[in-house]
Amino acid sequence: MALKISIIGKTNTGKTTFFNAATMETGEISTYPFTTKQPVVGTGNATTPCVHMEFNVMDNPVNSKCIDGWRVIPIELIDLPGLIKGAWSGRGLGNQFLSAAMKTDAFIHIIDASGSIDDEGRIAEIGTGNPISDYKDIEEELTMWYLKHIEGNREEISKRINSGIEQKVAITEPLHAMWVSERHVLKALKEANLEDKHFDNFLMEDSKKLASHIRKISKPTVVVANKIELVSDPEKIMKRIQENLPDVFVIPSSTDSEFTLRKAEQKGYIKYIMGAENFEVLRKDQLTEKQMKALDFIRKRVLGEHFTTGIQRAVNSLIFKFLEMNVIYPVSNPEKLSDRKGRVLPDLILMRNGSTVEDLAKEIHSNIKGVLYAKDVRYGVRLPVYYLLRDRDIVSLVVANTAF
Ligand SMILES: Nc1nc2c(ncn2[C@@H]2O[C@H](COP(=O)(O)OP(=O)(O)O)[C@@H](O)[C@H]2O)c(=O)[nH]1
Ligand SMILES: [Mg+2]
């Protein structure tokens, strides 16, 4: 199952532009059926250097693509309408949007680094808005949403705890629909120093602290400081944002530029690999002067100063750094690196760090009976079922039954 990421933030920060640029490769866009102003779902990509070069083979990708040495892994992106103050209490269809946002693994939170929106998300003069308080406003809405689901179920949680259910279990129950697990709640209780306090004695400030920790732990987030090319001194702005939000991973970005580059690539005007630090103009004769200027601007002011447009970096850091995903290549023929049909390195599976050979077996074949061990293709050694898989491992499972 593909990982899911929600794109959140105030209105006009560039969420839809991010989504459009990130999903352009596949163009698969569908809508959630249950609201009028709907969250939009599409397929974006995480990218990782493919192992086919290391083994000097041609691959036949099935569940992903291989473009110029990069494995392109599908992930699901959700574009949400802007959140407004009071969304947690239902303002501006807040209930629908927040519940859709919660049914995902992680967030990309976009802020307008150029300060060209006001605090209600209306377009304003550059430099007049405040991306730091915009960030905090949205975070407050998220925390309040978790708090609402804790406090709103106080009696029920309390009753369950007093009937002998573990505190972490009872608190997790009303949060299941928000993809919160007992592991998240236990960690949050520890971090909020509430592990030894009885839930009945939680003050409102305790519950809010817990809500804030659950938010951070259960939805890893990267912040995208967008419209960076509009800023005259981007280094200063980035420094200010980072100083004010020390616990947050912030990536400078120009979603508009990525959109332009991918469009130009799609039309064959340029050669550009998503997330790359440069591009090559192929059809100069077909470009207007204005288009050439736009590309030159991107080369100089976006790629030249920030290395990338930030989009691919945001998705990749979320998947590989914050969700701690490792890339695993399962094959059935370790000599040929192929599956039963002879396709070389067909699939790549994202497995959370800490996953074992046994977890991989379950992921690939839910009906698997006895996996005996795995063979590590790179080093030619046997890996026991409890072996912790590492990034870029290529493994061949050896099973007891011949059911597959
Ligand atoms: N200069 C600049 N404008 C951008 C960028 N990304 C988005 N915009 C503009 O900001 C406005 C809002 O963008 P949109 O993606 O609809 O924002 P959303 O409301 O957050 O979905 C549009 O006019 C975009 O063209 C960017 O990287 N740079
Ligand atoms: Mg939008």
Side-chain angles (χ1 to χ4, degrees):
M1 226 177 49
L3 288 167
K4 295 184 188 195
I5 299 176
S6 292
I7 305 169
I8 60 165
K10 287 201 174 170
T11 303
N12 281 321
T13 50
K15 297 184 299 300
T16 298
T17 311
F18 185 109
F19 175 87
N20 287 342
T23 56
M24 195 183 287
E25 185 67 25
T26 48
E28 287 165 25
I29 293 175
S30 61
T31 46
Y32 273 11
F34 55 81
T35 51
T36 45
K37 275 189 177 171
Q38 298 147 336
V40 181
V41 183
T43 306
N45 313 289
T47 53
T48 175
C50 183
V51 293
H52 84 258
M53 291 176 293
E54 181 188 336
F55 291 89
N56 208 7
V57 291
M58 294 271 280
D59 55 359
N60 313 98
V62 177
N63 81 344
S64 42
K65 286 184 201 166
C66 190
I67 304 175
D68 283 334
W70 290 88
R71 265 300 163 115
V72 177
I73 312 155
I75 50 133
E76 200 170 280
L77 285 176
I78 300 173
D79 179 27
L80 290 149
L83 291 169
I84 56 171
K85 276 188 194 167
W88 70 272
S89 67
R91 229 185 122 213
L93 295 177
N95 288 341
Q96 285 95 312
F97 299 158
L98 282 164
S99 27
M102 294 303 159
K103 290 178 185 11
T104 55
D105 299 285
F107 291 159
I108 287 174
H109 184 160
I110 306 196
I111 53 176
D112 180 340
S114 72
S116 54
I117 59 165
D118 69 13
D119 65 353
E120 292 280 346
R122 287 177 298 240
I123 299 283
E125 208 172 308
I126 294 177
T128 59
N130 185 343
I132 294 155
S133 60
D134 286 346
Y135 169 83
K136 289 181 178 165
D137 287 347
I138 296 289
E139 285 300 314
E140 175 72 7
E141 293 304 319
L142 297 172
T143 298
M144 289 304 290
W145 182 250
Y146 285 92
L147 180 62
K148 178 171 146 175
H149 286 81
I150 297 171
E151 283 298 319
N153 291 288
R154 182 173 264 278
E155 269 180 43
E156 194 56 36
I157 297 174
S158 169
K159 219 185 320 171
R160 306 270 284 148
I161 293 170
N162 291 318
S163 76
I165 304 269
E166 255 187 292
Q167 189 144 298
K168 68 165 193 223
V169 177
I171 295 174
T172 307
E173 278 167 3
L175 305 179
H176 267 313
M178 301 155 80
W179 292 24
V180 173
S181 69
E182 281 163 23
R183 177 177 65 89
H184 296 142
V185 172
L186 180 63
K187 198 162 176 225
L189 284 166
K190 277 187 188 152
E191 288 183 8
N193 282 323
L194 290 166
E195 216 186 349
D196 300 321
K197 192 166 184 174
H198 194 285
F199 180 71
D200 285 348
N201 300 326
F202 277 22
L203 304 172
M204 185 59 87
E205 67 198 61
D206 293 326
S207 298
K208 190 160 182 192
K209 206 156 106 188
L210 179 64
S212 161
H213 282 278
I214 292 176
R215 178 266 169 272
K216 289 198 181 88
I217 292 164
S218 65
K219 296 281 186 275
T221 301
V222 294
V223 172
V224 166
N226 196 30
K227 308 190 193 176
I228 198 73
E229 88 289 354
L230 292 182
V231 176
S232 53
D233 191 348
E235 218 169 292
K236 192 169 132 201
I237 294 274
M238 286 306 295
K239 196 159 168 247
R240 192 162 83 219
I241 295 174
Q242 202 64 79
E243 276 170 5
N244 280 278
L245 307 174
D247 303 331
V248 181
F249 188 70
V250 190
I251 296 171
S253 143
S254 174
T255 54
D256 234 12
S257 303
E258 179 74 14
F259 187 77
T260 303
L261 292 176
R262 291 205 188 182
K263 262 241 122 67
E265 153 77 20
Q266 220 172 36
K267 292 190 168 157
Y269 297 150
I270 65 170
K271 172 89 190 148
Y272 172 67
I273 300 165
M274 56 185 103
E277 299 185 4
N278 215 334
F279 61 89
E280 186 191 337
V281 176
L282 301 174
R283 318 278 285 274
K284 199 169 177 177
D285 52 311
Q286 290 184 14
L287 291 167
T288 63
E289 200 177 319
K290 201 172 151 213
Q291 287 171 321
M292 261 323 280
K293 261 201 178 139
L295 289 175
D296 281 342
F297 180 83
I298 292 172
R299 197 194 299 276
K300 194 156 155 268
R301 287 296 306 274
V302 181
L303 302 180
E305 290 187 30
H306 309 286
F307 305 114
T308 73
T309 67
I311 289 204
Q312 203 53 51
R313 224 184 119 204
V315 175
N316 286 352
S317 15
L318 203 44
I319 301 286
F320 299 118
K321 192 175 160 76
F322 295 100
L323 286 172
E324 301 181 352
M325 289 295 159
N326 288 334
V327 169
I328 314 296
Y329 296 81
V331 296
S332 53
N333 183 329
E335 280 77 42
K336 294 191 170 142
L337 275 68
S338 72
D339 64 6
R340 295 258 152 140
K341 294 179 178 160
R343 297 175 297 198
V344 176
L345 297 168
D347 293 336
L348 159 167
I349 314 274
L350 291 177
M351 302 281 302
R352 190 182 291 275
N353 202 25
S355 302
T356 61
V357 163
E358 198 170 13
D359 294 329
L360 175 69
K362 282 187 203 142
E363 178 85 18
I364 305 176
H365 295 277
S366 50
N367 61 350
I368 202 158
K369 290 286 188 304
V371 54
L372 296 177
Y373 62 91
K375 191 163 179 195
D376 181 311
V377 173
R378 185 177 282 113
Y379 301 111
V381 293
R382 272 189 187 201
L383 306 171
V385 285
Y386 52 81
Y387 168 80
L388 292 175
L389 294 161
R390 295 175 57 190
D391 194 37
R392 300 160 66 75
D393 271 350
I394 307 157
V395 294
S396 173
L397 297 177
V398 179
V399 292
N401 65 344
T402 50
F404 87 106

